[in-house]
Amino acid sequence: MKNTSIICLSLLILTLGCTKNSGDILETKAEQPKEEEVEVIAEPVIATYLTIKTGCLLNYGNQGNWIIVYDESGNLIDYKAFQENEIIAFESDETETHEKYSVTFLTINEFLGGIWNELNTSTEVLMGSTLDYSCIEENNASTSITGNFNLKIKNVPDDLTVTSINASNGENVGFAYSESSNNGLMTYEADLNILEVKTDYIITIQDGNENAKYYVLENYEIGEEISINYEDFNSYTDYTDINYPEHTSLRLLLHGSNTNEAYSLSQAFSNGNTQGSLRLGKLNRFDTYNLLYEIKINSEYVYTFFNTGEFPTEIITPEQPTVTISDSSIQEFKFETSITNYLNKTSSWYSGTTNENFTTWDVSSTRNYNPIIGNIPTEISTSHSNLEIEDLIYKHIKFDLNEDETIIISNSN
C-alpha cells in the first residue's frame, strides 16, 4: 500500500511538471511579434531607345548642333547638343519608351555676318535604332603633276546641240572652243596635266549629230603639242540613248571605274534647249558605272536618275505629275498626288525674310506616313532667336520613286 502511494505521488509530480513546461512554451510563442510583410519595389529598367553616331556624313554648324527627339504625336522627348565623332545614347525608363520616334538635326552656322539654320527630320525611327553617320574619311591628297601638254581635236561635227567634249585621267578637263570652219566642223583645245600615277587620257565627245565616240591618248610628253582628227575616234560597242524633252536646265555625268582606276566618261550641260538626245557609250574596261542624269523641265518639275552599278540600258523622263497641297504647314503637312509608285517623300520649307538669315527644314517619311512635327525646345529657340521657324514657307516635295529615281515638285506660288 505504501508503494502504491509513492507511485501515485510520483505520477502527480511528473504530470504537474509537464503541464507547467507546456504552458511556458505556449506563453513564449504568444509573446513573439509577427514578422511584417515588406513591399519590394522593383528598380526601374533603363532602356536605350536611340543611339546616334555622328561623323562626316552630317553637316555641322559653328554656332551650335542639336539632336531633338519627338514621339509620333510631336511631343518633345529629349534633346542634346552634339559634335563630330561622338556616340550619343538617348535613354529613359523602359515603361516610357515609344515604338517610333522622329529625330531632328539642327545646325546653326554663321558666315559673312549671316546665319544659316538647317533642320533635317527623319521620322518613323524604331525604338532601339542606331543612326550611323560616321564614315571613313577619304584620302584626298593631291596627285603629283609632273608637267602638261597641249591637245587639239579637229573636225568635230558641231551645231547648237553639241553637249560634251571631255578628257579624263582621274581628273576632269573641259575643252575650250578654239576655231570653226565654214563647213560646220570645229576645233577644240585644252592644256592637259600629266599625272605621275596615270599614263593615259580617255577623251569622249558627243558631237553635233548626237553621236558619241571616244579616244584613248597615250605616250604624250611634257610641253608637247598634239593634234587629233575626230575621224580617228572610236565607236562604242554598246550605246544607251536618253531622249530628253524641252527643259530649262540639264546635266549628265557618267563615270566608269574598276579596282584600280576611275575616269569621267561623259559630261553634258544645257541651260535651256529644245528636245534632243544624249548618247552614252559603254567601255568594257570598267565594271562599275556612276551615272547622274538631272533635268529641270520648268520652275516646278525636276527629274533625277542616279545609279551606281551596271551600265544603264534605259532612261525615260516621266511626264510631270500633279501635287495638290491641302495643308502647307510643317506641323501637319497634307497633300494629294498623281504619283502612285513612290517609296518615300521629303517635304521642304524655307525662310529668308532678311538678307542675313536663312532657315531650311526638310522632313522625310515613307509614302503612307503623315508625321506630326513638334516645336523646337524653348532653350534652343530663346538662345537662337534668328531661327525664324514661324516664318517658314513650303518650298517643294521630293518623291523617291525607287533607289535610282527622284521627282521634285515645287510650290508654284
Side-chain angles (χ1 to χ4, degrees):
M1 188 70 179
K2 183 177 180 180
N3 293 335
T4 302
S5 300
I6 292 172
I7 293 171
C8 291
L9 180 61
S10 300
L11 292 173
L12 178 62
I13 293 171
L14 180 62
T15 302
L16 291 173
C18 292
T19 303
K20 183 178 180 181
N21 292 338
S22 297
D24 290 342
I25 294 173
L26 292 174
E27 183 178 353
T28 302
K29 289 183 177 180
E31 290 176 356
Q32 290 180 347
K34 293 183 178 181
E35 294 183 1
E36 296 183 3
E37 294 183 1
V38 179
E39 182 180 359
V40 178
I41 301 176
E43 292 291 331
V45 178
I46 302 301
T48 300
Y49 60 88
L50 176 65
T51 302
I52 296 177
K53 298 180 180 180
T54 66
C56 63
L57 296 180
L58 283 174
N59 294 327
Y60 297 89
N62 55 26
Q63 297 300 309
N65 304 285
W66 298 89
I67 301 170
I68 311 169
V69 183
Y70 307 87
D71 64 16
E72 288 189 280
S73 300
N75 299 310
L76 177 65
I77 302 298
D78 199 359
Y79 60 97
K80 296 181 180 181
F82 72 92
Q83 298 296 327
E84 190 170 4
N85 299 323
E86 288 186 309
I87 299 178
I88 303 172
F90 288 87
E91 299 176 331
S92 71
D93 191 315
E94 190 176 44
T95 61
E96 298 177 356
T97 59
H98 301 266
E99 181 181 355
K100 295 179 181 179
Y101 296 88
S102 293
V103 182
T104 295
F105 291 88
L106 165 62
T107 61
I108 303 172
N109 199 23
E110 182 177 3
F111 63 100
L112 300 177
I115 298 291
W116 179 22
N117 309 300
E118 184 177 7
L119 300 100
N120 292 278
T121 299
S122 297
T123 62
E124 303 172 90
V125 179
L126 296 178
M127 155 70 186
S129 295
T130 296
L131 301 182
D132 191 352
Y133 299 94
S134 61
C135 57
I136 300 175
E137 299 272 5
E138 294 184 1
N139 183 5
N140 294 321
S142 59
T143 303
S144 176
I145 299 174
T146 61
N148 58 64
F149 65 98
N150 180 266
L151 175 65
K152 289 183 179 180
I153 310 238
K154 295 183 176 181
N155 299 321
V156 180
D158 189 24
D159 60 24
L160 294 178
T161 64
V162 167
T163 56
S164 174
I165 178 165
N166 175 66
S168 174
N169 64 345
E171 60 178 19
N172 301 331
V173 179
F175 280 75
Y177 159 79
S178 177
E179 59 185 48
S180 62
S181 61
N182 294 330
N183 57 2
L185 300 179
M186 305 288 293
T187 296
Y188 291 88
E189 183 177 7
D191 288 321
L192 305 183
N193 291 327
I194 300 175
L195 303 185
E196 184 176 14
V197 296
K198 292 291 181 70
T199 59
D200 64 357
Y201 267 94
I202 296 179
I203 305 167
T204 59
I205 294 178
Q206 172 161 318
D207 62 34
N209 297 324
E210 297 182 344
N211 193 21
K213 291 185 177 183
Y214 75 97
Y215 187 94
V216 179
L217 177 63
E218 300 176 292
N219 302 319
Y220 38 80
E221 301 291 340
I222 294 176
E224 186 176 4
E225 294 187 359
I226 299 175
S227 179
I228 303 175
N229 196 310
Y230 184 57
E231 295 178 357
D232 296 326
F233 275 59
N234 303 296
S235 297
Y236 295 91
T237 54
D238 295 295
Y239 287 97
T240 294
D241 291 328
I242 304 175
N243 298 314
Y244 57 83
E246 294 184 7
H247 57 278
T248 59
S249 66
L250 178 151
R251 63 174 175 151
L252 172 80
L253 302 173
L254 177 65
H255 288 75
S257 63
N258 53 39
T259 305
N260 301 317
E261 58 186 6
Y263 288 79
S264 172
L265 300 180
S266 185
Q267 295 188 84
F269 303 92
S270 171
N271 293 318
N273 207 338
T274 58
Q275 63 185 19
S277 178
L278 294 170
R279 170 161 278 198
L280 306 180
K282 177 182 179 181
L283 280 177
N284 293 330
R285 174 172 176 167
F286 305 107
D287 48 35
T288 300
Y289 290 88
N290 296 324
L291 171 67
L292 170 65
Y293 165 67
E294 182 178 83
I295 183 168
K296 184 176 182 180
I297 304 299
N298 51 48
S299 61
E300 299 177 12
Y301 175 36
V302 178
Y303 169 74
T304 302
F305 180 92
F306 180 80
N307 176 264
T308 297
E310 296 183 357
F311 186 77
T313 57
E314 184 180 51
I315 301 173
I316 300 175
T317 305
E319 295 289 335
Q320 180 170 342
T322 61
V323 174
T324 303
I325 308 299
S326 56
D327 188 337
S328 62
S329 69
I330 191 171
Q331 287 76 23
E332 297 188 51
F333 181 66
K334 293 182 177 63
F335 69 95
E336 293 182 356
T337 179
S338 61
I339 306 175
T340 59
N341 59 339
Y342 69 93
L343 300 177
N344 306 296
K345 59 184 183 294
T346 300
S347 307
S348 300
W349 289 260
Y350 75 100
S351 170
T353 56
T354 68
N355 294 328
E356 293 79 21
N357 299 330
F358 192 75
T359 299
T360 61
W361 195 336
D362 294 344
V363 178
S364 301
S365 59
T366 57
R367 173 183 171 184
N368 295 319
Y369 185 75
N370 296 316
I372 300 175
I373 305 302
N375 295 322
I376 298 297
T378 303
E379 177 190 348
I380 300 176
S381 59
T382 54
S383 59
H384 300 282
S385 58
N386 51 22
L387 282 174
E388 299 182 341
I389 301 299
E390 67 281 359
D391 297 323
L392 286 170
I393 301 171
Y394 167 67
K395 182 179 181 182
H396 63 240
I397 182 168
K398 182 183 76 171
F399 298 95
D400 298 323
L401 304 185
N402 49 55
E403 294 181 353
D404 301 331
E405 298 176 274
T406 64
I407 284 176
I408 296 178
I409 302 296
S410 298
N411 184 7
S412 58
N413 296 329

